[in-house]
PDB file of all heavy atoms in Angstrom:
ATOM      1  N   GLU S  93      -5.444  21.660 -38.014  1.00  0.00           N
ATOM      2  CA  GLU S  93      -6.867  21.473 -37.740  1.00  0.00           C
ATOM      3  C   GLU S  93      -7.693  22.560 -38.436  1.00  0.00           C
ATOM      4  O   GLU S  93      -8.738  22.283 -39.032  1.00  0.00           O
ATOM      5  CB  GLU S  93      -7.115  21.502 -36.235  1.00  0.00           C
ATOM      6  CG  GLU S  93      -8.550  21.246 -35.837  1.00  0.00           C
ATOM      7  CD  GLU S  93      -8.724  21.259 -34.337  1.00  0.00           C
ATOM      8  OE1 GLU S  93      -7.878  20.699 -33.621  1.00  0.00           O
ATOM      9  OE2 GLU S  93      -9.734  21.837 -33.886  1.00  0.00           O
ATOM     10  N   GLN S  94      -7.216  23.788 -38.403  1.00  0.00           N
ATOM     11  CA  GLN S  94      -7.926  24.879 -39.067  1.00  0.00           C
ATOM     12  C   GLN S  94      -7.898  24.709 -40.586  1.00  0.00           C
ATOM     13  O   GLN S  94      -8.896  24.966 -41.263  1.00  0.00           O
ATOM     14  CB  GLN S  94      -7.351  26.228 -38.654  1.00  0.00           C
ATOM     15  CG  GLN S  94      -7.685  26.557 -37.215  1.00  0.00           C
ATOM     16  CD  GLN S  94      -7.105  27.874 -36.764  1.00  0.00           C
ATOM     17  OE1 GLN S  94      -6.569  28.636 -37.567  1.00  0.00           O
ATOM     18  NE2 GLN S  94      -7.221  28.152 -35.486  1.00  0.00           N
ATOM     19  N   LEU S  95      -6.760  24.274 -41.119  1.00  0.00           N
ATOM     20  CA  LEU S  95      -6.696  24.007 -42.561  1.00  0.00           C
ATOM     21  C   LEU S  95      -7.682  22.903 -42.933  1.00  0.00           C
ATOM     22  O   LEU S  95      -8.371  23.000 -43.962  1.00  0.00           O
ATOM     23  CB  LEU S  95      -5.281  23.602 -42.977  1.00  0.00           C
ATOM     24  CG  LEU S  95      -4.264  24.699 -43.167  1.00  0.00           C
ATOM     25  CD1 LEU S  95      -2.891  24.099 -43.462  1.00  0.00           C
ATOM     26  CD2 LEU S  95      -4.674  25.654 -44.271  1.00  0.00           C
ATOM     27  N   ASP S  96      -7.757  21.855 -42.111  1.00  0.00           N
ATOM     28  CA  ASP S  96      -8.696  20.762 -42.362  1.00  0.00           C
ATOM     29  C   ASP S  96     -10.130  21.285 -42.404  1.00  0.00           C
ATOM     30  O   ASP S  96     -10.914  20.914 -43.286  1.00  0.00           O
ATOM     31  CB  ASP S  96      -8.583  19.684 -41.281  1.00  0.00           C
ATOM     32  CG  ASP S  96      -7.255  18.930 -41.311  1.00  0.00           C
ATOM     33  OD1 ASP S  96      -6.526  19.015 -42.323  1.00  0.00           O
ATOM     34  OD2 ASP S  96      -6.955  18.251 -40.301  1.00  0.00           O
ATOM     35  N   GLN S  97     -10.463  22.173 -41.470  1.00  0.00           N
ATOM     36  CA  GLN S  97     -11.810  22.749 -41.422  1.00  0.00           C
ATOM     37  C   GLN S  97     -12.079  23.608 -42.654  1.00  0.00           C
ATOM     38  O   GLN S  97     -13.172  23.564 -43.226  1.00  0.00           O
ATOM     39  CB  GLN S  97     -11.992  23.585 -40.151  1.00  0.00           C
ATOM     40  CG  GLN S  97     -12.023  22.765 -38.888  1.00  0.00           C
ATOM     41  CD  GLN S  97     -11.971  23.620 -37.632  1.00  0.00           C
ATOM     42  OE1 GLN S  97     -11.887  24.834 -37.678  1.00  0.00           O
ATOM     43  NE2 GLN S  97     -12.001  22.955 -36.473  1.00  0.00           N
ATOM     44  N   ARG S  98     -11.084  24.381 -43.066  1.00  0.00           N
ATOM     45  CA  ARG S  98     -11.254  25.248 -44.238  1.00  0.00           C
ATOM     46  C   ARG S  98     -11.412  24.414 -45.505  1.00  0.00           C
ATOM     47  O   ARG S  98     -12.213  24.756 -46.381  1.00  0.00           O
ATOM     48  CB  ARG S  98     -10.094  26.222 -44.350  1.00  0.00           C
ATOM     49  CG  ARG S  98     -10.136  27.249 -43.197  1.00  0.00           C
ATOM     50  CD  ARG S  98      -9.023  28.241 -43.225  1.00  0.00           C
ATOM     51  NE  ARG S  98      -9.078  28.994 -44.465  1.00  0.00           N
ATOM     52  CZ  ARG S  98      -8.009  29.415 -45.114  1.00  0.00           C
ATOM     53  NH1 ARG S  98      -6.800  29.190 -44.651  1.00  0.00           N
ATOM     54  NH2 ARG S  98      -8.125  30.097 -46.233  1.00  0.00           N
ATOM     55  N   LEU S  99     -10.675  23.313 -45.613  1.00  0.00           N
ATOM     56  CA  LEU S  99     -10.820  22.425 -46.764  1.00  0.00           C
ATOM     57  C   LEU S  99     -12.217  21.808 -46.755  1.00  0.00           C
ATOM     58  O   LEU S  99     -12.896  21.787 -47.788  1.00  0.00           O
ATOM     59  CB  LEU S  99      -9.750  21.330 -46.747  1.00  0.00           C
ATOM     60  CG  LEU S  99      -9.823  20.308 -47.879  1.00  0.00           C
ATOM     61  CD1 LEU S  99      -9.626  20.986 -49.234  1.00  0.00           C
ATOM     62  CD2 LEU S  99      -8.800  19.207 -47.659  1.00  0.00           C
ATOM     63  N   ALA S 100     -12.647  21.337 -45.609  1.00  0.00           N
ATOM     64  CA  ALA S 100     -13.965  20.713 -45.493  1.00  0.00           C
ATOM     65  C   ALA S 100     -15.094  21.695 -45.814  1.00  0.00           C
ATOM     66  O   ALA S 100     -16.111  21.309 -46.398  1.00  0.00           O
ATOM     67  CB  ALA S 100     -14.151  20.132 -44.096  1.00  0.00           C
ATOM     68  N   SER S 101     -14.904  22.956 -45.466  1.00  0.00           N
ATOM     69  CA  SER S 101     -15.946  23.960 -45.719  1.00  0.00           C
ATOM     70  C   SER S 101     -15.915  24.477 -47.157  1.00  0.00           C
ATOM     71  O   SER S 101     -16.827  25.190 -47.576  1.00  0.00           O
ATOM     72  CB  SER S 101     -15.792  25.144 -44.757  1.00  0.00           C
ATOM     73  OG  SER S 101     -14.687  25.950 -45.127  1.00  0.00           O
ATOM     74  N   GLY S 102     -14.853  24.163 -47.888  1.00  0.00           N
ATOM     75  CA  GLY S 102     -14.738  24.611 -49.265  1.00  0.00           C
ATOM     76  C   GLY S 102     -14.128  25.997 -49.426  1.00  0.00           C
ATOM     77  O   GLY S 102     -14.111  26.539 -50.522  1.00  0.00           O
ATOM     78  N   SER S 103     -13.598  26.576 -48.340  1.00  0.00           N
ATOM     79  CA  SER S 103     -13.024  27.921 -48.453  1.00  0.00           C
ATOM     80  C   SER S 103     -11.622  27.908 -49.061  1.00  0.00           C
ATOM     81  O   SER S 103     -11.114  28.962 -49.432  1.00  0.00           O
ATOM     82  CB  SER S 103     -13.019  28.635 -47.096  1.00  0.00           C
ATOM     83  OG  SER S 103     -12.142  28.005 -46.197  1.00  0.00           O
ATOM     84  N   ILE S 104     -11.014  26.732 -49.177  1.00  0.00           N
ATOM     85  CA  ILE S 104      -9.749  26.584 -49.900  1.00  0.00           C
ATOM     86  C   ILE S 104      -9.836  25.325 -50.752  1.00  0.00           C
ATOM     87  O   ILE S 104     -10.607  24.411 -50.466  1.00  0.00           O
ATOM     88  CB  ILE S 104      -8.504  26.509 -48.970  1.00  0.00           C
ATOM     89  CG1 ILE S 104      -8.579  25.332 -47.997  1.00  0.00           C
ATOM     90  CG2 ILE S 104      -8.296  27.816 -48.237  1.00  0.00           C
ATOM     91  CD1 ILE S 104      -7.324  25.122 -47.168  1.00  0.00           C
ATOM     92  N   THR S 105      -9.031  25.290 -51.804  1.00  0.00           N
ATOM     93  CA  THR S 105      -8.995  24.130 -52.689  1.00  0.00           C
ATOM     94  C   THR S 105      -8.016  23.093 -52.135  1.00  0.00           C
ATOM     95  O   THR S 105      -7.199  23.392 -51.265  1.00  0.00           O
ATOM     96  CB  THR S 105      -8.535  24.538 -54.097  1.00  0.00           C
ATOM     97  OG1 THR S 105      -7.158  24.964 -54.025  1.00  0.00           O
ATOM     98  CG2 THR S 105      -9.409  25.638 -54.684  1.00  0.00           C
ATOM     99  N   ARG S 106      -8.094  21.899 -52.681  1.00  0.00           N
ATOM    100  CA  ARG S 106      -7.135  20.844 -52.280  1.00  0.00           C
ATOM    101  C   ARG S 106      -5.704  21.279 -52.586  1.00  0.00           C
ATOM    102  O   ARG S 106      -4.785  21.000 -51.831  1.00  0.00           O
ATOM    103  CB  ARG S 106      -7.434  19.536 -52.996  1.00  0.00           C
ATOM    104  CG  ARG S 106      -8.632  18.832 -52.457  1.00  0.00           C
ATOM    105  CD  ARG S 106      -8.558  17.332 -52.750  1.00  0.00           C
ATOM    106  NE  ARG S 106      -9.661  16.656 -52.135  1.00  0.00           N
ATOM    107  CZ  ARG S 106      -9.688  16.266 -50.862  1.00  0.00           C
ATOM    108  NH1 ARG S 106      -8.662  16.490 -50.088  1.00  0.00           N
ATOM    109  NH2 ARG S 106     -10.744  15.645 -50.366  1.00  0.00           N
ATOM    110  N   TYR S 109      -4.673  23.741 -49.976  1.00  0.00           N
ATOM    111  CA  TYR S 109      -4.488  22.991 -48.733  1.00  0.00           C
ATOM    112  C   TYR S 109      -3.126  22.298 -48.728  1.00  0.00           C
ATOM    113  O   TYR S 109      -2.369  22.411 -47.763  1.00  0.00           O
ATOM    114  CB  TYR S 109      -5.615  21.964 -48.569  1.00  0.00           C
ATOM    115  CG  TYR S 109      -5.449  21.048 -47.384  1.00  0.00           C
ATOM    116  CD1 TYR S 109      -5.928  21.412 -46.133  1.00  0.00           C
ATOM    117  CD2 TYR S 109      -4.827  19.814 -47.508  1.00  0.00           C
ATOM    118  CE1 TYR S 109      -5.783  20.581 -45.035  1.00  0.00           C
ATOM    119  CE2 TYR S 109      -4.676  18.974 -46.434  1.00  0.00           C
ATOM    120  CZ  TYR S 109      -5.156  19.349 -45.186  1.00  0.00           C
ATOM    121  OH  TYR S 109      -4.995  18.520 -44.108  1.00  0.00           O
TER     122      TYR S 109
END
Side-chain angles (χ1 to χ4, degrees):
E93 183 179 318
Q94 290 179 8
L95 280 175
D96 292 345
Q97 291 170 359
R98 292 180 60 215
L99 178 62
S101 74
S103 67
I104 59 174
T105 67
R106 285 204 175 277
Y109 175 87

